[in-house]
Amino acid sequence: PTQPSQPSQPTQPTRPAQGVTLTVISRHPTDILVKARAMFLASAVAKKYNITDLKTIVIPAGLWEQYIRRGEADVAWGGGPTLFDSLFQRGLLAPLTSKEALDAAAQVPDEIMGVPMKRVKDGKVYWVAAAISSFGFTVNMKRLKDYNLTVPSSWRDLASPELGKPLVKYGVAALSIADPTQSTSHTRMYEIILQRYGWEEGWRVLTLMAANANVYPGSEAARDAVIQGEVAVGITIDFYGYTAQQVNPDCKYIVPPGESIVNGDPIALVNGSKHPEAAQAFIAWVLTEGQKVWLDPAINRLPANPKVFDTPEGKNRSDLKSAYEMTLKTPSIEFNDTLALMYEPVMQWYFRAALVEVNDYLKAAWKALLSKYFTGAISREQFEAYVANLTAPLAFTDPATGKTVVFTQDYAISICDKFQSDASYRDALIAAWKKAAVERYTKLLDQLKG
């Protein structure tokens, strides 16, 4: 076919006399939402259902629940499967019921690389992937050469002493990462690392990555730092990597083989939508004709419905088709979505408290340690012992019990509910993590100076 096959239409849609405004809550960047809105409002589907406006609201994931519960949204779109599964678990998503939405959903594969592209319960479809994503890093080949660095091929390479050389030699970080409380894609990458290497080794990798890095407020800023050559490497979701390659030919996107996953990025009807019929018509459009949004050279996302590559526009993007086919062949890790959800908010804020807000202290200790190591003032064994001390999960005083505890995976899971529901407990914990981190980094720095 030359077009993604359009879902069959109900015989007599109720066309509202008054124009319908659909409200979409999203984590997508603005460029995607602006293009999708313009394309959709010009479509036959919008005219058929008398949808006269598409209001898109980009808000932090933490605010989605209250928007849905207040009936202020019709559709949720973009932000990754963990976010959508948490909405699903809390009963905030409604199943697709219209024939056209279900027909459109049927065009998306049920799974890719063993990862579900739909959330189905009791035969009902609650979310469907509208795009797919891999996760890796984007390198600036010119800047790597300037720093005399080799091209990294694993997450561990981003945590290596080698990547710390520019910090010692030039006083600049070679890596860019984002604060996980501000980025769902970077949160997912940190979860991949924790599951790929295990909790303790995972935190070692994350801590040394943060020591090698400038931390940016969001994933877009972290990507732009690579494009502009502020850093040599930045961790990125795939489509940010493809955009970087187009904007700056020195950039190259790399998926670490056997160390990543393929995600479906969902769209869903939310509970309490005031216009469920029109909302499902929009969802059907996104999964068919709207897949062309991803083909825009400024957007470069991998579609969830591969039929878009049969369209004239899709045939013009053989590069994106190659990237899609390569992604389907990339070996990935076994990833446990349920486990990630059990500790996610705690992990995000621990990362922020221990690695982001006190990043200067961490970098100072790491730089001093690398300087001693590179000059031979300490042996490999001594270096490894210092690194083990620097990167082990923190011990701190739990504000609820007054006891000293270690930040293990079990502990993170055990406090997750209280952490989310009790603001004063959360704030006290974050303060305890920061205090413990500063003490550790300062002590190490003093030891190295001594």
Side-chain angles (χ1 to χ4, degrees):
T2 56
Q3 292 285 346
S5 56
Q6 285 300 309
S8 55
Q9 310 295 356
T11 41
Q12 282 184 310
T14 1
R15 179 181 160 91
Q18 240 183 328
V20 170
T21 297
L22 282 182
T23 305
V24 179
I25 48 174
S26 185
R27 296 290 303 144
H28 281 318
T30 318
D31 55 352
I32 290 174
L33 298 172
V34 168
K35 179 156 186 79
R37 180 177 179 273
M39 278 174 66
F40 176 69
L41 291 177
S43 74
V45 177
K47 289 177 182 60
K48 179 174 186 179
Y49 285 85
N50 202 14
I51 301 163
T52 50
D53 200 9
L54 195 67
K55 191 173 157 197
T56 53
I57 304 174
V58 180
I59 44 172
L63 292 177
W64 282 30
E65 179 167 356
Q66 64 192 64
Y67 269 71
I68 295 169
R69 291 205 188 279
R70 291 198 305 248
E72 290 178 21
D74 297 295
V75 173
W77 184 27
T82 305
L83 170 57
F84 278 71
D85 278 338
S86 75
L87 298 175
F88 169 66
Q89 286 169 2
R90 284 175 283 168
L92 298 169
L93 303 183
L96 299 179
T97 54
S98 82
K99 181 166 168 28
E100 59 187 328
L102 291 167
D103 284 354
Q107 294 182 36
V108 174
D110 289 342
E111 57 171 54
I112 289 174
M113 303 290 293
V115 178
M117 294 295 122
K118 296 163 191 172
R119 184 58 62 227
V120 182
K121 191 183 179 189
D122 301 330
K124 293 177 178 162
V125 180
Y126 285 86
W127 64 249
V128 186
I132 64 168
S133 313
S134 66
F135 301 87
F137 31 87
T138 300
V139 296
N140 184 314
M141 300 300 261
K142 184 175 188 306
R143 198 58 75 241
L144 281 175
K145 202 172 162 204
D146 291 341
Y147 291 148
N148 200 21
L149 296 172
T150 55
V151 178
S153 63
S154 69
W155 301 113
R156 205 182 247 128
D157 289 348
L158 305 186
S160 65
E162 190 200 7
L163 206 73
K165 284 177 180 171
L167 193 62
V168 176
K169 194 170 179 185
Y170 305 106
V172 296
L175 179 66
S176 65
I177 63 174
D179 176 348
T181 68
Q182 303 299 312
S183 167
T184 50
S185 63
H186 282 234
T187 292
R188 181 41 54 107
M189 286 185 264
Y190 304 145
E191 289 166 348
I192 289 168
I193 290 165
L194 289 171
Q195 293 198 23
R196 161 67 181 86
Y197 295 109
W199 189 260
E200 288 207 10
E201 180 63 18
W203 279 111
R204 175 189 167 109
V205 170
L206 292 176
T207 303
L208 296 183
M209 277 171 60
N212 277 335
N214 288 332
V215 187
Y216 291 81
S219 48
E220 232 168 306
R223 173 206 61 192
D224 291 348
V226 190
I227 294 173
Q228 289 151 12
E230 275 173 42
V231 294
V233 192
I235 67 171
T236 57
I237 194 168
D238 58 359
F239 65 99
Y240 275 0
Y242 303 141
T243 297
Q245 288 178 169
Q246 292 217 325
V247 175
N248 181 350
D250 290 328
C251 290
K252 184 171 188 276
Y253 173 67
I254 296 167
V255 183
E259 297 212 334
S260 188
I261 60 170
V262 176
N263 250 0
D265 198 5
I267 189 165
L269 174 68
V270 305
N271 244 335
S273 160
K274 293 186 178 75
H275 311 286
E277 196 177 46
Q280 290 184 78
F282 172 69
I283 290 168
W285 177 85
V286 166
L287 297 174
T288 52
E289 186 66 22
Q291 292 286 290
K292 291 175 184 174
V293 169
W294 310 132
L295 304 175
D296 186 303
I299 291 170
N300 295 307
R301 289 210 68 173
L302 300 183
N305 184 346
K307 289 183 180 177
V308 73
F309 289 123
D310 299 329
T311 66
E313 297 90 337
K315 288 185 170 134
N316 281 334
R317 289 305 310 269
S318 55
D319 59 327
L320 205 61
K321 189 179 184 188
S322 301
Y324 176 85
E325 286 165 350
M326 201 174 76
T327 301
L328 299 196
K329 291 187 199 127
T330 306
S332 49
I333 65 163
E334 283 281 314
F335 186 81
N336 186 332
D337 215 40
T338 312
L339 176 63
L341 265 178
M342 287 165 80
Y343 57 63
E344 182 172 279
V346 177
M347 181 280 287
Q348 288 174 309
W349 285 94
Y350 174 83
F351 189 112
R352 178 173 167 145
L355 305 180
V356 176
E357 294 190 0
V358 296
N359 191 259
D360 289 348
Y361 290 89
L362 170 61
K363 275 220 274 275
W366 179 233
K367 185 179 175 183
L369 180 56
L370 287 177
S371 302
K372 294 261 184 192
Y373 179 52
F374 292 150
T375 55
I378 56 172
S379 68
R380 177 82 198 184
E381 289 72 27
Q382 287 172 307
F383 174 73
E384 285 300 338
Y386 278 124
V387 168
N389 179 307
L390 178 69
T391 61
L394 288 168
F396 54 94
T397 306
D398 184 305
T401 62
K403 291 180 180 161
T404 300
V405 289
V406 175
F407 191 71
T408 62
Q409 180 173 285
D410 287 345
Y411 173 80
I413 292 168
S414 73
I415 63 163
C416 197
D417 289 344
K418 186 172 171 62
F419 186 83
Q420 291 185 92
S421 60
D422 184 340
S424 58
Y425 173 67
R426 184 182 67 229
D427 293 346
L429 252 183
I430 290 167
W433 292 334
K434 276 177 77 169
K435 181 171 179 282
V438 170
E439 283 170 3
R440 174 182 285 179
Y441 307 151
T442 311
K443 188 178 172 188
L444 178 62
L445 194 56
D446 290 345
Q447 282 174 343
L448 291 163
K449 282 179 181 166

